[in-house]
Amino acid sequence: MVGGSSNKVDTVHETSIRVNGGSMEIHKVCLPPNKTTFQSIKHNFSEIFFPDDPLHKFKNQKPFTKFLLGLQYFFPIFQWGSDYSFKLLKSDVISGLTIASLAIPQGISYAKLANLPPIIGLYSSFVPPLLYAILGSSRHLGVGPVSIASLVMGSMLREVVSPTAEPILYLKLAFTATFFAGVFQTSLGLLRLGFIIDFLSKPTLIGFTAGAAVIVSLQQLKGMLGIVHFTPKMQIVNVLSSVISTEKEWSWQTVVMGMSFLIFLLATRHISIKKPKLFWISAAAPLTSVILSTILVYVFRAHTSAISTIGHLPKGLNPPSANMLYFSGTHLAIAIKTGIVTGILSLTEGIAVGRTFASLRNYQIDGNKEMIAIGVMNMAGSCTSCYVTTGSFSRSAVNFNAGAQTAVSNIVMAATVLITLLFLMPLFYYTPNVILAAIIITAVIGLINYQEAIKFWRVDKYDFMTCLVAFFGVLFLSVQMGLAIAVGVSVLKILMNVTRPTTVVLGNIPGTQIFQNVGRYGDATRVPLFFILAIESPICFANSTYLQERILRWVREEEERILANKEQDMKTIILDLTAVTAIDTNGLEAIVEIRKMLEKRSYKLVLVNPVGQVMEKLESSRTLELFGEKSLYLTVGEAIADMSKRFKIEI
């Protein structure tokens, strides 16, 4: 006998019969070893929360070794830090400086996208990367503000509080939302509940990000056209209407500068996509655009008064903001809601990006560690004037291509941002806002992944529909509503799969003991006197009634087919349970009811190959006793062989 849910059994030579000129042994279906209730709960708990067995390295180790392993587990920097070398430092410095050239203009731009002061974006590119370098397990993840989280935070908070009318309250809510995002992320990691973010399916994310990218791009028309009075709403109809109605505010100087630099940025992006070795061109383009546009505005400032600029940015390190966290009052609910939504989105992006680049270098990252690292840096960030940050795909791609070897590249980037904060802030005074709009448009265009949408259409129409629902929900309703509807559609798909499981009719492949779906395999033939059905799903309360009705319908249709073709009447219904991975009490009752209904119609029901867990419940519920002898077999072939022998004796 074998433990767990294995289908391996002891071989018992009960009967040897001749089928199609050969002999077949009938094997006994065995129960898994007995387990106490505590052992079963422990096993299930371990499989749900600890599938990776994170403590296996600690087994049979000395106390001091366990202490060192514990440090390495919670602080991965101790794992790779001991082997760090000057050669690795050289690569990390180059990659760190490269992503800093991207992080500085991106930080300012994304802060504007979240309706926050530009300086907050730079603050958010300093503290979080330092913390991630200590706690994170990815070697290539470039940490900082990202477009999607910035957009969602900006749109959700702006619906309740105006960033222009009440800037202090808005800033407090942004920091508070960041804090709750960090608490939520850290809790998921500590409680090992990362599977929650799996409800954001790929089609949902593709549609959501594409819709958000379109909305973000349209919102940047305010900066690209020099519009002063622009709608705060995020729906596509309102945005386009606002653009058209404010035509008199358009500034030709702003339009010319914006289009010129947008074409430049898109061209450099295209070059880097076509020739990946020239990645540095697109990486350096944003900072180059900022420098050139700032010089142009400064030199021709007498003629460019219509072009709005960033203005004064304070010098110095991140000021503390713990005193600005908002834990009571009428707006606390929106801060928590925003924190959870942005927390889920940033976790999904950060972990997905980290795993992508880890696979390219053949190493693994720990999802739960990443949740803790991202959560801690957001909690700490909320107390140091930062808003939601995570792993950025654009920064990580540049970091990877620039040759980063460890998380030290994040430290180098943070050090570069520190120098900028301390000494270079006055240089941004004449930086035009239109450049920030052009940088944002260039960044979010890459989020429109139409190739994946086409793939969804070819592979799974339901996934394509989910993608479209998310896309149009964001465009015409709101960012959070579009996301909520798309998640609802994804959950509905799960419910449909659970409540309406597949059942198929099996036939024999001639000359073999293989039984396959007759609708899928043209040479699979039905076996006279037998009707073989397979259930391809767990049997539970959600689908037990459906399965009863569907199986009786299959039997009725088979009777009609036999009558129409004048074939031999069937005597036995074989139910193949190979793909039934679990069963509950409702499922057990459904099996008993099916047997009773078939018995009234003079049919015998036979069960085949239940997995260990199902077999255990069939036995403990005494369901098998109701079936009588010769009602349980290891394979369909053995069931047919044994039942055929009995028919010959009885007839």
Side-chain angles (χ1 to χ4, degrees):
M1 295 177 69
V2 201
S5 59
S6 173
N7 295 327
K8 296 181 180 179
V9 298
D10 293 337
T11 302
V12 180
H13 301 277
E14 292 183 337
T15 315
S16 183
I17 61 175
R18 188 162 294 276
V19 181
N20 296 329
S23 62
M24 176 176 289
E25 297 173 355
I26 308 301
H27 300 83
K28 182 180 178 182
V29 180
C30 296
L31 283 164
N34 288 329
K35 285 183 179 179
T36 64
T37 301
F38 175 76
Q39 288 174 326
S40 297
I41 293 174
K42 179 182 177 182
H43 173 75
N44 293 334
F45 181 85
S46 176
E47 289 302 309
I48 292 172
F49 296 103
F50 301 96
D52 55 342
D53 189 15
L55 300 179
H56 71 282
K57 292 182 180 180
F58 294 83
K59 294 176 182 177
N60 304 319
Q61 298 290 344
K62 295 179 180 179
F64 182 71
T65 304
K66 289 182 178 179
F67 173 74
L68 292 179
L69 290 173
L71 279 179
Q72 292 176 1
Y73 182 81
F74 290 105
F75 304 98
I77 192 172
F78 288 104
Q79 190 170 351
W80 52 263
S82 58
D83 299 323
Y84 201 71
S85 64
F86 179 78
K87 183 179 179 181
L88 295 177
L89 177 63
K90 182 180 177 182
S91 298
D92 287 336
V93 168
I94 294 173
S95 57
L97 292 173
T98 305
I99 57 173
S101 68
L102 179 65
I104 292 171
Q106 269 192 355
I108 295 173
S109 302
Y110 291 159
K112 295 280 284 184
L113 185 59
N115 302 309
L116 294 168
I119 191 66
I120 301 297
L122 290 180
Y123 291 157
S124 303
S125 299
F126 172 53
V127 173
L130 291 177
L131 290 172
Y132 184 83
I134 299 172
L135 299 170
S137 58
S138 172
R139 304 172 195 167
H140 301 99
L141 200 67
V143 173
V146 293
S147 56
I148 292 299
S150 301
L151 166 68
V152 172
M153 173 174 284
S155 62
M156 292 183 71
L157 293 181
R158 189 166 61 177
E159 288 182 356
V160 179
V161 177
S162 170
T164 53
E166 299 178 278
I168 301 300
L169 176 59
Y170 187 91
L171 194 58
K172 287 182 178 181
L173 292 179
F175 292 150
T176 306
T178 301
F179 176 80
F180 282 111
V183 170
F184 179 70
Q185 293 164 336
T186 306
S187 300
L188 289 183
L190 291 174
L191 299 175
R192 305 183 71 84
L193 297 174
F195 58 83
I196 290 177
I197 65 175
D198 293 336
F199 281 98
L200 283 177
S201 64
K202 188 172 183 179
T204 299
L205 288 174
I206 294 294
F208 170 77
T209 53
V214 172
I215 287 293
V216 169
S217 299
L218 292 176
Q219 277 281 337
Q220 301 318 303
L221 291 177
K222 174 185 178 182
M224 293 292 291
L225 301 176
I227 298 172
V228 178
H229 302 92
F230 199 71
T231 178
K233 297 181 180 179
M234 300 296 291
Q235 296 85 351
I236 186 171
V237 175
N238 294 317
V239 173
L240 292 177
S241 176
S242 181
V243 170
I244 296 170
S245 63
T246 56
E247 182 182 357
K248 294 181 180 179
E249 295 184 9
W250 295 8
S251 164
W252 69 267
Q253 298 100 322
T254 303
V255 173
V256 170
M257 175 173 280
M259 292 304 299
S260 300
F261 280 99
L262 179 61
I263 292 171
F264 168 71
L265 290 166
L266 291 175
T268 58
R269 181 177 178 272
H270 180 74
I271 291 171
S272 295
I273 291 174
K274 290 295 183 181
K275 296 183 178 181
K277 290 184 178 180
L278 299 178
F279 70 91
W280 55 270
I281 293 178
S282 63
L287 186 59
T288 303
S289 299
V290 168
I291 294 172
L292 289 177
S293 63
T294 303
I295 292 173
L296 286 173
V297 171
Y298 177 75
V299 172
F300 298 102
R301 58 186 180 277
H303 307 284
T304 57
S305 57
I307 299 178
S308 65
T309 60
I310 291 178
H312 174 72
L313 293 178
K315 289 197 298 182
L317 295 177
N318 300 34
S321 57
N323 61 323
M324 296 184 71
L325 297 182
Y326 189 95
F327 293 125
S328 62
T330 56
H331 300 305
L332 179 60
I334 188 63
I336 296 174
K337 180 182 174 182
T338 304
I340 292 175
V341 173
T342 55
I344 291 176
L345 288 173
S346 58
L347 263 190
T348 303
E349 180 173 356
I351 293 176
V353 171
R355 285 175 175 167
T356 298
F357 291 104
S359 65
L360 294 176
R361 282 290 183 268
N362 199 27
Y363 70 94
Q364 290 184 325
I365 65 171
D366 188 320
N368 289 294
K369 285 183 189 177
E370 289 298 288
M371 292 178 201
I372 295 172
I374 294 173
V376 169
M377 73 185 193
N378 277 320
M379 283 193 294
S382 69
C383 299
T384 53
S385 300
C386 305
Y387 77 107
V388 174
T389 54
T390 186
S392 163
F393 183 82
S394 57
R395 294 191 197 189
S396 301
V398 170
N399 199 28
F400 179 85
N401 289 321
Q405 299 296 320
T406 69
V408 169
S409 60
N410 275 297
I411 297 176
V412 175
M413 179 190 72
T416 307
V417 173
L418 172 63
I419 294 171
T420 303
L421 287 169
L422 291 176
F423 306 109
L424 305 180
M425 298 315 297
L427 299 179
F428 290 98
Y429 184 89
Y430 287 100
T431 300
N433 286 311
V434 66
I435 290 303
L436 304 183
I439 291 172
I440 291 173
I441 291 174
T442 306
V444 299
I445 279 178
L447 299 176
I448 304 175
N449 194 346
Y450 63 89
Q451 296 98 332
E452 280 295 325
I454 294 172
K455 180 181 176 181
F456 296 147
W457 172 257
R458 291 200 310 263
V459 177
D460 190 324
K461 299 298 189 292
Y462 197 100
D463 279 349
F464 180 75
M465 185 182 73
T466 303
C467 182
L468 285 186
V469 166
F471 179 74
F472 288 112
V474 171
L475 285 185
F476 292 99
L477 297 176
S478 67
V479 172
Q480 59 268 37
M481 187 61 70
L483 181 61
I485 293 174
V487 171
V489 173
S490 297
V491 172
L492 180 62
K493 180 181 180 181
I494 297 172
L495 293 176
M496 289 294 292
N497 289 336
V498 172
T499 59
R500 294 296 182 266
T502 303
T503 54
V504 296
V505 179
L506 303 184
N508 177 244
I509 304 294
T512 72
Q513 288 298 324
I514 298 173
F515 294 83
Q516 288 292 346
N517 184 354
V518 295
R520 180 181 173 191
Y521 293 85
D523 55 344
T525 57
R526 287 174 164 83
V527 181
L529 306 177
F530 296 92
F531 184 51
I532 312 164
L533 285 172
I535 301 174
E536 299 180 344
S537 164
I539 306 176
C540 62
F541 67 93
N543 60 28
S544 57
T545 302
Y546 165 79
L547 283 173
Q548 289 183 57
E549 296 170 352
R550 190 66 185 91
I551 289 172
L552 293 176
R553 177 182 158 194
W554 275 121
V555 172
R556 186 186 72 245
E557 291 174 350
E558 183 68 6
E559 289 173 338
E560 293 171 354
R561 190 195 66 82
I562 290 173
L563 184 63
N565 295 326
K566 298 180 181 180
E567 297 178 1
Q568 284 182 290
D569 292 337
M570 58 181 169
K571 294 180 176 289
T572 301
I573 313 297
I574 298 177
L575 206 56
D576 188 351
L577 303 180
T578 303
V580 179
T581 55
I583 193 169
D584 65 4
T585 52
N586 291 76
L588 293 169
E589 290 179 5
I591 294 289
V592 173
E593 287 300 314
I594 292 170
R595 184 195 70 83
K596 288 179 181 179
M597 293 176 184
L598 294 176
E599 196 174 56
K600 289 179 181 178
R601 300 165 73 168
S602 301
Y603 296 128
K604 181 175 179 59
L605 179 63
V606 171
L607 306 180
V608 167
N609 196 27
V611 299
Q613 184 186 118
V614 175
M615 180 62 187
E616 193 173 36
K617 291 186 177 180
L618 287 170
E619 177 68 21
S620 60
S621 65
R622 300 186 181 278
T623 300
L624 292 178
E625 294 179 7
L626 301 174
F627 276 67
E629 290 187 52
K630 302 295 183 181
S631 301
L632 185 66
Y633 293 90
L634 186 60
T635 68
V636 173
E638 292 183 9
I640 291 175
D642 193 31
M643 297 300 293
S644 296
K645 176 187 175 186
R646 295 174 63 195
F647 289 153
K648 291 175 183 177
I649 294 173
E650 293 171 1
I651 294 175

